[in-house]
Amino acid sequence: MNHSYPTEAQQGASLSSTLSNDGDLVLHMKGIHKHFAGVPALSDAELKIKAGEVHAIIGQNGAGKSTLIKVLNGAHKHDEGDIYFMGEEVSYASPHKAQMAGISTIFQEVNLIGYRSITENICLGHEPKRFGMVDWRKAHAHARETLARFGLELDVEQPLSTFNIAIQQLVAIARAVALDARIVIMDEPTSSLDEREKEVLFRVIKELKASGVAILYVSHHLDELFQICDEITVMRDGKTVGQRAIGDMTKLDMVAAMLGKDPEEIARGGATNFASTGRASDQVLLSVENLEGAGALKNVSFDLYKSEILGLAGLLGSGRSEVARAIFGLDSDLKKGEVFLEGEKMDFTDPMAAIEKGFGFCSEDRKEDGIIPQLSVRENLTLVLLPKISKYGLIDESKERQLVTDFIQRLGIKTASMEQPISQLSGGNQQKVLLARWLVTNPNILILDEPTRGIDVGAKGEIQSLIRRLADDGLTVLMISSEFEELVEGADRVIVLQDGHSIQALANDQLTENAIMKAIAQETRHPVA
Amino acid sequence: MNSSTLAESPKPKVPTVGTKIASQIKNNGALWAFFLLLVINILITPNFLQIQTLYVNLTQVATVAIVAIGMTLVIASGGIDLSVGALMALAGTVAPMIFLSDFGVANPELGLFVAIVVAISAAGIAGLFNGFLISKYKIQPIIATLILFISGRGIAQVLTNGELQTFDNPSFEFIGTGRVFGVPVQAWITLVLALSIAWVLKRSIYGRFLLAVGGNEKAAELAGVPATKVKLMTYMVCGLLAGIAGIITTAINSASDANQTGQLMELDAISAAIVGGVLLTGGRLPSLVRF
């Protein structure tokens, strides 16, 4: 905090420079406050965008970028503050209303209708009519025209789902343009695009810019920003800490601003060699070599040593979860790469095979693929174990109850009884039950994807110390977390992933939040596909 | 998460007599409705309180109950089976064909045995086919079972050239009209099936896996539950039970009519399963089975 960025003087300068030509501002959000259940997500956030500029918002996870966007597009209602759009004070009740008014959001996952044609997607809600019927000829022509502006020639009568994700995203942008958007918000637009597709997107962004549309661009990929952005707004802890022209910043400046540190300090403290490791033993338990495929992976290799906690760090879309899922046999579309368990090549095609070999996997989304909501704590806890405590297909219930009682006590699971439906437990206790689901099988390797996401601080601490204790007792843990703090404090070593590549291993003194950030921010070393 | 914190925070209220009764009715609505129907009928229907009335009811309800057991399993797995009526017709057609054949007439006892086994197995295989489409090819259950809903009855009609098969086979008819200790045979069959399947669901790993798959299939697969096998098994059992019901229907009528056997049974069975307390979105069995 003592090296807050930018300095007051700089901030004043940048503010006054924009104030001087306030008339050009297409959007001005000021003094925005937003609380969620008493927790501040935004406190005094500010955003100024001029017509025809590409404006990036950067910040760490939880800095308030998404909340600010959601306040702007009407998904959330702010508690305090004003939003001026084209000189008028506005507040939208829904993203749809904002879109109709000229603020379109292109989400990470394209929210269009895959079964319908490109034309229908572009024209939905404002189809050209003739005699009360849709004038398809005109509609198709309109769609073709809109796409032609981006240099795209597509068969607009084909269902959208027959095109790849990049095209779908461009169609979403085309829809925004067709609706006369003045501001187009893009949240991580390149996360699912390859290099060539990215180029098309950037060209489209330049087209939009030339026609006076402002782009609000959110991305964790700092390299991209230099290619297309004009202005940068930095957010930290729900506050806007500064705005500057991109030409005035280096990548290191950006990282420093996001962290609230001095750039020089980061440059000094950064790790460049990773010779020494903090691993607990020299025995390689699992060796992952050149994983490629499964959507996001390009080249991931690392070793997992016995009874260490190995962290996987990386931004959204860097391939963190995909690595875990590939090891556990959940993504069978691996193009390349091998996984060796104590030298023996593994070929997991489904979780059953992985479980057989002593793997456990807590997924990142408890609700989606973790808990079975209708079942009790007991039934959820023993789901993986069942085959081992059954004979002739019948469950040994007394053994089951005894194990469940034991684990409820050992992990301090707060539940009225083991028969309580798991859906009635708090997030932290649900997570403990899911951990117990694997621990009760006595696994060799436990993969934890965001083990403390969405649970309260107290339970978080308990789970963290539990993981530590387990590793001390000999369990090998592969932990994914988007909280660098958690990795730095919890893990023995951290592998940093960037765009599907494993780029660095950090351990001991080198393992700091800054070092992780710096590794992520460093120029891409790997050849671009 | 919100609901869980909400559910945890308030202290449990001290139950009063009123809330106790209210929750009793809420949790066992079907049972209370059943008692209400009993009381009303005892009051207004002439000659209702006779053992004969009970037997008539048991006779009529047995086939629905048997099919509904299978349907309950299927719905608990998160699916539905529209083909049960057609599978009843199929089994009801196959059995007489065998015991009326030359082989069946020459070996009456063996013929009858083979007839019943083959007929029920045919329905089971058809159920397996349903399960195969649903688990391997991920076809939505309502679509997948629509295939046999239409074609199952068609197959039965083709087998008999669309003709009614009438027969006079007292041993076979015993299934539909006989009594054991004064109680209709099909009532005994229903009772045995219901109790044994309830026991299996409660005690076996299959029962637990069934609920896990129905409750959250993705989570179940991630936990190593063989979801494909569980579904295959479930639709097969549903088919087998439909086959048994088809044989009972045919035995009651002393005739097999591929066009009529099991008509609209799928709707009766789905209704019965839901009234019984299975959750239509899967993952929960009637509370009577669970405890």
Side-chain angles (χ1 to χ4, degrees):
Chain A
M1 266 303 166
N2 31 359
H3 299 285
S4 76
Y5 166 86
T7 61
E8 294 307 314
Q10 279 171 319
Q11 195 165 22
S14 78
L15 283 183
S16 59
S17 70
T18 22
L19 279 173
S20 60
N21 43 18
D22 238 14
D24 300 345
L25 285 184
V26 63
L27 178 81
H28 189 180
M29 300 174 80
K30 59 180 177 186
I32 306 289
H33 290 256
K34 173 74 190 167
H35 287 74
F36 290 110
V39 181
L42 291 176
S43 47
D44 203 18
E46 172 152 29
L47 183 63
K48 292 171 171 191
I49 303 180
K50 277 186 283 195
E53 82 176 2
V54 181
H55 194 117
I57 305 183
I58 59 172
Q60 279 181 283
N61 288 325
K65 298 169 303 208
S66 302
T67 314
L68 189 65
I69 285 172
K70 284 181 178 157
V71 165
L72 175 58
N73 73 12
H76 291 328
K77 176 91 189 77
H78 51 290
D79 304 332
E80 257 179 73
D82 303 312
I83 305 173
Y84 295 94
F85 174 52
M86 313 226 295
E88 275 171 49
E89 185 171 356
V90 296
S91 176
Y92 299 108
S94 71
H96 179 74
K97 292 238 167 71
Q99 187 174 50
M100 288 304 159
I103 300 178
S104 280
T105 314
I106 314 297
F107 292 97
Q108 285 173 27
E109 275 137 40
V110 179
N111 54 342
L112 296 175
I113 309 161
Y115 303 117
R116 310 310 303 176
S117 70
I118 290 186
T119 300
E120 285 171 280
N121 273 292
I122 290 180
C123 297
L124 187 70
H126 59 110
E127 298 92 345
K129 299 258 171 69
R130 217 175 120 188
F131 309 126
M133 310 282 276
V134 175
D135 184 344
W136 284 112
R137 199 157 10 136
K138 222 176 187 175
H140 288 316
H142 176 65
R144 270 188 219 106
E145 238 168 72
T146 314
L147 290 170
R149 285 180 57 186
F150 308 144
L152 283 175
E153 258 182 66
L154 301 170
D155 183 353
V156 294
E157 297 177 35
Q158 290 300 313
L160 184 66
S161 57
T162 56
F163 297 94
N164 64 25
I165 188 84
I167 296 290
Q168 296 188 25
Q169 212 157 29
L170 292 173
V171 170
I173 297 171
R175 174 175 168 74
V177 172
L179 289 167
D180 279 325
R182 303 306 306 161
I183 299 178
V184 176
I185 302 168
M186 298 186 188
D187 192 358
E188 296 283 354
T190 56
S191 59
S192 44
L193 305 187
D194 67 28
E195 286 304 315
R196 212 166 30 87
E197 295 163 340
K198 244 185 241 178
E199 266 169 41
V200 177
L201 176 73
F202 289 169
R203 206 175 64 225
V204 168
I205 288 176
K206 281 173 189 150
E207 283 288 329
L208 287 174
K209 194 178 137 171
S211 63
V213 177
I215 316 281
L216 183 55
Y217 194 93
V218 178
S219 176
H220 279 113
H221 302 276
L222 299 180
D223 287 326
E224 279 171 26
L225 305 185
F226 288 100
Q227 290 180 46
I228 47 155
C229 291
D230 305 307
E231 288 279 320
I232 303 263
T233 289
V234 183
M235 296 192 68
R236 194 169 63 232
D237 302 330
K239 262 198 199 62
T240 300
V241 294
Q243 178 185 345
R244 261 214 274 174
I246 192 144
D248 302 342
M249 293 183 92
T250 63
K251 208 159 157 184
L252 200 58
D253 288 334
M254 289 186 193
V255 174
M258 285 157 73
L259 290 172
K261 300 268 168 68
D262 181 19
E264 281 172 31
E265 186 191 352
I266 293 182
R268 269 200 314 276
T272 42
N273 66 64
F274 42 95
S276 78
T277 61
R279 59 177 188 258
S281 84
D282 286 334
Q283 193 190 341
V284 176
L285 191 60
L286 186 78
S287 164
V288 173
E289 289 177 11
N290 309 318
L291 287 189
E292 187 187 326
L297 305 181
K298 293 185 185 136
N299 187 356
V300 174
S301 306
F302 60 84
D303 286 336
L304 179 60
Y305 292 88
K306 205 166 167 9
S307 75
E308 76 168 343
I309 300 178
L310 180 66
L312 279 185
L315 302 170
L316 217 72
S318 60
R320 300 177 310 205
S321 300
E322 286 79 0
V323 170
R325 296 180 65 86
I327 294 173
F328 200 63
L330 281 161
D331 288 309
S332 45
D333 60 338
L334 265 187
K335 286 199 202 92
K336 240 169 73 184
E338 283 156 337
V339 176
F340 296 92
L341 177 67
E342 292 182 308
E344 186 194 345
K345 188 175 177 322
M346 296 288 103
D347 189 19
F348 298 145
T349 47
D350 61 52
M352 270 177 272
I355 292 166
E356 194 79 10
K357 289 284 178 187
F359 283 76
F361 177 47
C362 274
S363 69
E364 68 180 317
D365 194 333
R366 270 195 306 281
K367 252 210 180 98
E368 178 72 15
D369 48 19
I371 63 167
I372 314 255
Q374 294 91 344
L375 296 189
S376 66
V377 169
R378 167 175 59 87
E379 291 161 322
N380 267 285
L381 201 152
T382 55
L383 194 58
V384 182
L385 182 75
L386 279 185
K388 288 187 192 158
I389 53 166
S390 300
K391 217 175 182 184
Y392 310 120
L394 297 180
I395 301 162
D396 182 346
E397 283 184 34
S398 66
K399 190 158 190 188
E400 182 188 19
R401 277 168 208 285
Q402 181 199 323
L403 279 166
V404 172
T405 312
D406 189 33
F407 269 84
I408 285 178
Q409 203 168 30
R410 266 176 60 189
L411 270 58
I413 299 169
K414 288 185 197 73
T415 174
S417 83
M418 67 172 82
E419 303 304 336
Q420 195 176 14
I422 192 167
S423 53
Q424 291 175 5
L425 264 54
S426 70
N429 283 303
Q430 287 182 7
Q431 187 71 351
K432 284 185 192 168
V433 175
L434 294 184
L435 277 171
R437 181 190 278 176
W438 292 108
L439 294 178
V440 75
T441 65
N442 205 9
N444 293 324
I445 297 178
L446 189 55
I447 305 170
L448 303 171
D449 195 353
E450 299 283 1
T452 64
R453 170 183 285 181
I455 61 183
D456 63 272
V457 185
K460 201 167 168 167
E462 279 182 59
I463 286 176
Q464 284 164 342
S465 58
L466 172 71
I467 295 169
R468 181 78 264 170
R469 243 185 7 250
L470 291 166
D472 291 343
D473 290 346
L475 181 68
T476 310
V477 178
L478 181 62
M479 179 169 74
I480 298 166
S481 175
S482 50
E483 291 180 35
F484 298 153
E485 192 183 13
E486 186 166 88
L487 291 176
V488 169
E489 286 172 13
D492 298 309
R493 290 190 310 138
V494 167
I495 304 289
V496 180
L497 299 180
Q498 188 192 53
D499 292 331
H501 298 259
S502 47
I503 56 164
Q504 201 166 31
L506 299 166
N508 295 345
D509 294 349
Q510 274 102 45
L511 183 50
T512 63
E513 280 179 65
N514 287 348
I516 295 176
M517 260 291 183
K518 187 162 172 268
I520 285 169
Q522 77 189 305
E523 299 299 330
T524 43
R525 288 178 177 173
H526 44 83
V528 175
Chain B
M1 257 230 306
N2 281 341
S3 60
S4 57
T5 37
L6 282 179
E8 278 192 338
S9 44
K11 289 270 175 268
K13 283 182 195 149
V14 182
T16 64
V17 180
T19 56
K20 261 186 189 166
I21 292 174
S23 83
Q24 269 294 313
I25 291 175
K26 199 175 157 227
N27 293 333
N28 302 302
L31 269 185
W32 284 95
F34 177 64
F35 281 125
L36 196 68
L37 275 177
L38 276 184
V39 171
I40 292 172
N41 277 297
I42 288 166
L43 293 179
I44 66 170
T45 306
N47 303 321
F48 184 76
L49 261 191
Q50 289 182 3
I51 197 76
Q52 204 53 36
T53 314
L54 177 67
Y55 289 163
V56 169
N57 268 295
L58 287 178
T59 310
Q60 289 176 348
V61 90
T63 49
V64 180
I66 291 170
V67 178
I69 295 169
M71 191 64 75
T72 300
L73 301 185
V74 166
I75 293 177
S77 81
I80 199 138
D81 189 348
L82 297 183
S83 71
V84 284
L87 300 192
M88 281 177 68
L90 183 64
T93 303
V94 168
M97 281 179 71
I98 295 173
F99 66 69
L100 290 175
S101 68
D102 295 345
F103 161 76
V105 174
N107 312 284
E109 277 161 24
L110 181 65
L112 192 61
F113 175 76
V114 171
I116 292 172
V117 168
V118 170
I120 295 175
S121 308
I125 289 166
L128 209 55
F129 172 76
N130 285 334
F132 188 69
L133 292 181
I134 291 159
S135 60
K136 280 272 190 226
Y137 290 102
K138 313 280 176 208
I139 298 176
Q140 287 179 23
I142 204 164
I143 308 290
T145 59
L146 202 54
I147 296 171
L148 278 172
F149 170 79
I150 297 164
S151 62
R153 195 174 292 281
I155 294 168
Q157 280 170 326
V158 168
L159 287 175
T160 57
N161 286 323
E163 286 162 16
L164 186 73
Q165 298 182 88
T166 53
F167 50 84
D168 181 19
N169 184 332
S171 318
F172 185 70
E173 283 157 45
F174 182 78
I175 300 169
T177 54
R179 300 268 171 106
V180 172
F181 303 119
V183 177
V185 171
Q186 61 264 55
W188 286 113
I189 296 174
T190 310
L191 186 71
V192 168
L193 285 172
L195 288 179
S196 54
I197 291 178
W199 183 80
V200 167
L201 288 175
K202 191 170 150 40
R203 290 292 318 279
S204 76
I205 197 165
Y206 162 75
R208 197 71 65 77
F209 281 175
L210 174 73
L211 290 174
V213 169
N216 186 346
E217 189 173 346
K218 265 172 132 180
E221 285 192 317
L222 208 147
V225 173
T228 304
K229 266 193 212 159
V230 169
K231 284 189 178 175
L232 279 175
M233 173 91 175
T234 305
Y235 283 90
M236 186 185 77
V237 169
C238 186
L240 290 173
L241 290 167
I244 294 172
I247 284 183
I248 293 173
T249 306
T250 306
I252 294 174
N253 295 336
S254 306
S256 131
D257 182 353
N259 197 31
Q260 283 304 316
T261 309
Q263 269 300 357
L264 295 180
M265 180 55 95
E266 55 285 339
L267 297 184
D268 287 343
I270 293 167
S271 313
I274 290 168
V275 169
V278 71
L279 193 66
L280 201 50
T281 47
R284 201 173 72 202
L285 282 167
S287 48
L288 287 175
V289 178
R290 305 226 52 210
F291 294 103

